Every structure is written in C-alpha cells, then in structure tokens.
Amino acid sequence: MLKIFHGRSAQVHKTPRQPSTKRTPFKLSFIFSTLFAIAACSGGSDKVSVAPKDDLNEAPPPKDTGLAIPQNQDAEDYKILYFGNSHVAGQAELIKTLIINAIPDKTVTAEIAPGRHFLAERLNDPSSMDMLLENEWTHLVLQGQKYSQSGGNIYPTEAAENWIALAKENGITPILFPEHPQLGDTQEGQFVYDIHTNIANNQRSCVSPIGPAWDKALTIDSSLDYYHADGNHAAPVGSLLTAYVFYEVITGQPADLVPDIDELVVDKETQSFLRQIASETLLELPACEF
C-alpha cells in the first residue's frame, strides 16, 4: 500500500518573508495539553521495524466502499470529533477559535476523543465507537494510521477504511489527517500524505494535505518555530498552520480570508503567512471530492 518517496517540491509564490521578532508564548491551556499529550504518547509515527503480527488482521474489510462523502461544509452547527494521538493536541480549541472569529453566525463544537490510540486500536475500543455513534457529528478527523518511517513495511489500512465507511453511513464527513513531517525530513510529509491518499482511493474520504502544507511553509520560511523541542510534535506556529488547513477543509471557506485573531498570540504577520500557505496548498491539492 505504501508508495515510494516522490519528493514533491513546493511552489514558491513569494520571496522569503522577514520573520517577526515577536515570539509571544501561546496560551497556557494549549501548552498544558500539548505537554500532557507528549508525555502520554510517543507520537503518531510508528518506529517499529517489523509489523507486529496482530496488525496483519486488525480489521475486517469495510463495507459500502462506494458511498459518497457527506457534504457538511454548509452546516449551521459544526460538530467535529477528532480521533488521534498526541498530534491532535490543541486542534479542537484552535478550530473553534478560527470558526468563531471567521464565521460568527455559526456555532461549533469540537472534541478530542479520550485515549492515545492508533486507528486500529480504536476500532476495538467501545468508548470510541459509542462517542462516534451516540452524538450527531458533522465531521470526523482521523489521525493515527500506522506507518513505517523506513518505508520497509506495509501496515494495513482496513481500520482507517472502516472508520471512514462508518462515518459516511452516519452522514459524517470523514477527514484523514496525515501528520506533518519530523524536523529535517524533507520526504516524510509527502510520503505520509501518499499513504492517506491511497486509503481514500480504497474508501472515499477527504484528505487534508498537512505534510505538503508544512513542506511549502518550511521551504519559504524555515526561520519560524514550527516544531516542539523534540523535533516531532508541533509548536504553536505549526499547530496553527495545521488548523488553518482544517478550517478550509471543514468550512469550505478560504483560510486566507480568516481575520487576524488577537487571542492567538502567534503574531499577526505569521498568522497571515500561515493562512496563505494553507489556501495555496489546498488550491493545489483539494482535500475533498464531494
């Protein structure tokens, strides 16, 4: 299922900006949730060199593979559920902040399901299943597909495909979340994105181009602090870039039209830059084919 590296180069639409000297700390609640998540989970990327035997039969083939993707971009009330591990930390609060400020006539609920699970583990977790089915969600964000960083192993994708099928059966828009590349890895972002586009080829789903967006941003301005000190998890700037991509995927509204938001305390020049990157990436790589 995994593809070889493609090494796509990002298009540059502007000369590198001069980074702002303002580096204000992100709000305390975000820092706390991120640090807690990092302590609770080693990360979304799987570093095991040999696929565990149990993973080879982790999920049955999904049904209803031909179902269309439910179009919920125009919903009056956005209700967004995140399945993921430490890489989704802070995203629920960020998406609420962006939508409330950019589309004030909408209401938004966003929650991260408890637990630090891969998608295959969640499939056998009754609490995750209940949380999905017992609430009227408009969108389900799916992060936590296992993959081999070396590219030497192929991990099953049936669990992700089952979650996608289940979401569509219940009128929920499924959105795959291929995580961003690790610091210094110029191929991982596209590699992980390709894995998820292959999943969507098997089971129709939206695929957020997170890795390509990060690749583009890093190419244009590598001076910004996208990464946490571990080089794996996102710092506030990187998390905001990811959130802008999800904003446009979820709402269908251009991320580059989101206003500057004082409470984000990522400086406004950087907000503008990240919004532009998100919209340019989605113009090149549309997330959904409704």
Side-chain angles (χ1 to χ4, degrees):
M1 184 66 66
L2 304 189
K3 291 186 178 181
I4 61 172
F5 295 109
H6 291 288
R8 185 184 68 82
S9 59
Q11 293 183 359
V12 179
H13 296 272
K14 53 183 265 188
T15 56
R17 61 190 279 281
Q18 293 298 317
S20 170
T21 56
K22 181 181 179 182
R23 289 290 181 267
T24 333
F26 206 55
K27 61 184 182 182
L28 183 60
S29 62
F30 177 84
I31 294 175
F32 178 82
S33 64
T34 302
L35 293 178
F36 177 84
I38 291 171
C41 178
S42 62
S45 57
D46 178 57
K47 299 182 180 180
V48 179
S49 59
V50 178
K53 184 177 180 181
D54 289 346
D55 285 331
L56 301 180
N57 296 297
E58 59 187 358
K63 59 180 180 177
D64 296 328
T65 57
L67 285 179
I69 302 169
Q71 217 287 39
N72 291 315
Q73 290 178 334
D74 297 327
E76 293 184 4
D77 304 313
Y78 294 119
K79 297 181 179 180
I80 307 156
L81 176 63
Y82 291 81
F83 280 175
N85 50 45
S86 55
H87 288 287
V88 300
Q91 286 298 310
E93 289 302 318
L94 280 172
I95 197 65
K96 286 192 288 187
T97 298
L98 297 183
I99 293 174
I100 289 169
N101 281 271
I103 319 176
D105 60 328
K106 302 279 189 179
T107 60
V108 56
T109 300
E111 295 186 32
I112 296 175
R116 302 290 177 232
H117 300 291
F118 291 105
L119 294 177
E121 297 166 334
R122 281 194 184 276
L123 201 60
N124 298 312
D125 174 33
S127 63
S128 294
M129 189 68 68
D130 291 344
M131 191 171 188
L132 176 66
L133 298 179
E134 293 178 1
N135 297 275
E136 295 183 357
W137 306 103
T138 58
H139 297 81
L140 173 64
V141 177
L142 296 164
Q143 184 268 326
Q145 166 64 39
K146 292 184 181 181
Y147 69 93
S148 169
Q149 289 178 307
S150 68
N153 296 302
I154 298 176
Y155 281 87
T157 60
E158 284 86 352
E161 293 168 28
N162 269 275
W163 284 120
I164 294 168
L166 190 60
K168 292 190 295 185
E169 289 169 6
N170 287 274
I172 303 167
T173 305
I175 307 173
L176 290 171
F177 181 169
E179 63 206 47
H180 61 264
Q182 294 184 88
L183 179 63
D185 193 324
T186 59
Q187 296 181 307
E188 186 177 18
Q190 183 69 39
F191 176 62
V192 178
Y193 175 71
D194 287 343
I195 293 171
H196 288 74
T197 57
N198 278 341
I199 294 171
N201 287 337
N202 294 334
Q203 179 70 257
R204 294 178 62 186
S205 176
C206 298
V207 184
S208 294
I210 303 301
W214 277 60
D215 289 343
K216 182 185 288 290
L218 286 161
T219 297
I220 297 174
D221 189 351
S222 61
S223 69
L224 293 172
D225 296 326
Y226 300 94
Y227 290 93
H228 185 269
D230 65 2
N232 181 19
H233 294 84
V237 168
S239 290
L240 184 56
L241 173 57
T242 295
Y244 280 132
V245 173
F246 278 110
Y247 168 86
E248 186 161 330
V249 175
I250 289 168
T251 68
Q253 301 299 312
D256 57 5
L257 296 183
V258 173
D260 292 335
I261 300 174
D262 290 335
E263 66 188 272
L264 288 178
V265 295
V266 170
D267 66 80
K268 293 180 180 178
E269 182 185 4
T270 301
Q271 290 182 41
S272 177
F273 171 66
L274 298 177
R275 293 194 300 263
Q276 178 184 347
I277 293 295
S279 286
E280 287 183 359
T281 304
L282 282 161
L283 183 64
E284 298 164 5
L285 299 169
C288 306
E289 294 183 4
F290 295 114

